[in-house]
Amino acid sequence: AQRVTQPEKLLSVFKGAPVELKCNYSYSGSPELFWYVQYSRQRLQLLLRHISRESIKGFTADLNKGETSFHLKKPFAQEEDSAMYYCALNTNAGKSTFGDGTTLTVKP
Amino acid sequence: GAGVSQSPSNKVTEKGKDVELRCDPISGHTALYWYRQSLGQGLEFLIYFQGNSAPDKSGLPSDRFSAERTGGSVSTLTIQRTQQEDSAVYLCASSLSGGGFDEQFFGPGTRLTVL
């Protein structure tokens, strides 16, 4: 069975500071990993996926198979980054497993 | 085009009553997912449809929960004999093919309150 762990329920940083949201997973197969974000009063939406190896809104995430991690990072946080962030794992069989989410607050 | 839509947006019901929640996926998306988001909790996977069939029903919490999808499009999640612990936001998502690489597009959710 797969599992996604986001150890921090709440994370607070000041504007301009670096931010890292942690995500660890367990899965016996080859995982497809995603970060989704939910801004206040908006729908849950994709932020980035590991297969794309892209940077979105300044965020990046690297899949580390040795440490089974997919941490989300941004060097300089902005107030508009305040949101709920979910790490998710997909299997080829179609099942999705989401972590419990991390609420990020960026203070001015 | 239109995104995923869900109805109703809010539902208040009495304990013991049955409720039906509806999801309209993005046109052409073959995969459809149901999740439950309880207060302070993450997203709990309930069920996944590929076309009209559900290869994975492992997340349904009890036999009071059932779901169907017809015509490869609209899906209905039914909760029978609702209990207070069923109170949550129920989210629906769809993806193009359900493959591991696919992005899921989420609906706005249905907030269910069981009194």
Side-chain angles (χ1 to χ4, degrees):
Chain A
Q2 60 263 36
R3 188 181 188 125
V4 175
T5 303
Q6 293 180 249
E8 305 132 331
K9 247 185 157 48
L10 302 170
L11 186 62
S12 182
V13 300
F14 284 102
K15 176 182 171 182
V19 63
E20 181 180 53
L21 289 85
K22 291 185 167 53
C23 172
N24 288 89
Y25 67 91
S26 64
Y27 178 53
S28 56
S30 186
E32 302 303 334
L33 287 153
F34 300 76
W35 278 98
Y36 285 83
V37 61
Q38 189 167 28
Y39 300 103
S40 179
R41 291 183 293 276
Q42 292 188 28
R43 302 182 184 202
L44 197 58
Q45 59 187 286
L46 178 70
L47 179 63
L48 55 79
R49 66 191 101 184
H50 96 267
I51 194 70
S52 303
R53 303 183 68 81
E54 57 199 345
S55 173
I56 303 292
K57 299 185 179 183
F59 284 97
T60 58
D62 289 318
L63 177 59
N64 185 323
K65 291 188 177 180
E67 295 183 358
T68 60
S69 69
F70 188 57
H71 302 327
L72 183 68
K73 300 176 186 179
K74 184 168 182 175
F76 307 102
Q78 303 299 313
E79 288 180 67
E80 56 265 29
D81 296 329
S82 295
M84 181 79 148
Y85 292 80
Y86 290 95
C87 182
L89 182 155
N90 280 10
T91 72
N92 281 334
K95 181 162 184 176
S96 280
T97 302
F98 281 71
D100 285 345
T102 298
T103 300
L104 173 66
T105 302
V106 181
K107 296 181 283 190
Chain B
V4 177
S5 60
Q6 293 184 247
S7 60
S9 54
N10 276 286
K11 177 72 177 179
V12 180
T13 190
E14 293 179 348
K15 179 181 168 181
K17 295 279 175 73
D18 297 351
V19 295
E20 280 191 356
L21 311 180
R22 177 187 166 108
C23 172
D24 274 281
I26 292 173
S27 177
H29 280 195
T30 62
L32 186 147
Y33 305 78
W34 282 99
Y35 297 92
R36 180 166 69 175
Q37 187 176 34
S38 303
L39 193 62
Q41 306 286 325
L43 264 68
E44 177 187 2
F45 170 84
L46 298 179
I47 191 169
Y48 154 69
F49 285 93
Q50 182 57 261
N52 289 337
S53 54
D56 191 343
K57 301 181 183 179
S58 62
L60 293 176
S62 74
D63 59 7
R64 295 187 295 106
F65 287 72
S66 63
E68 64 174 16
R69 189 179 184 195
T70 54
S73 180
V74 171
S75 176
T76 303
L77 177 69
T78 301
I79 310 173
Q80 294 179 309
R81 305 181 302 283
T82 52
Q83 304 294 311
Q84 287 181 332
E85 61 261 28
D86 299 334
S87 296
V89 176
Y90 289 81
L91 292 174
C92 174
S94 69
S95 70
L96 191 58
S97 66
F101 298 112
D102 273 4
E103 171 185 0
Q104 292 181 40
F105 294 83
F106 283 82
T110 293
R111 182 175 298 278
L112 175 65
T113 303
V114 182
L115 302 177

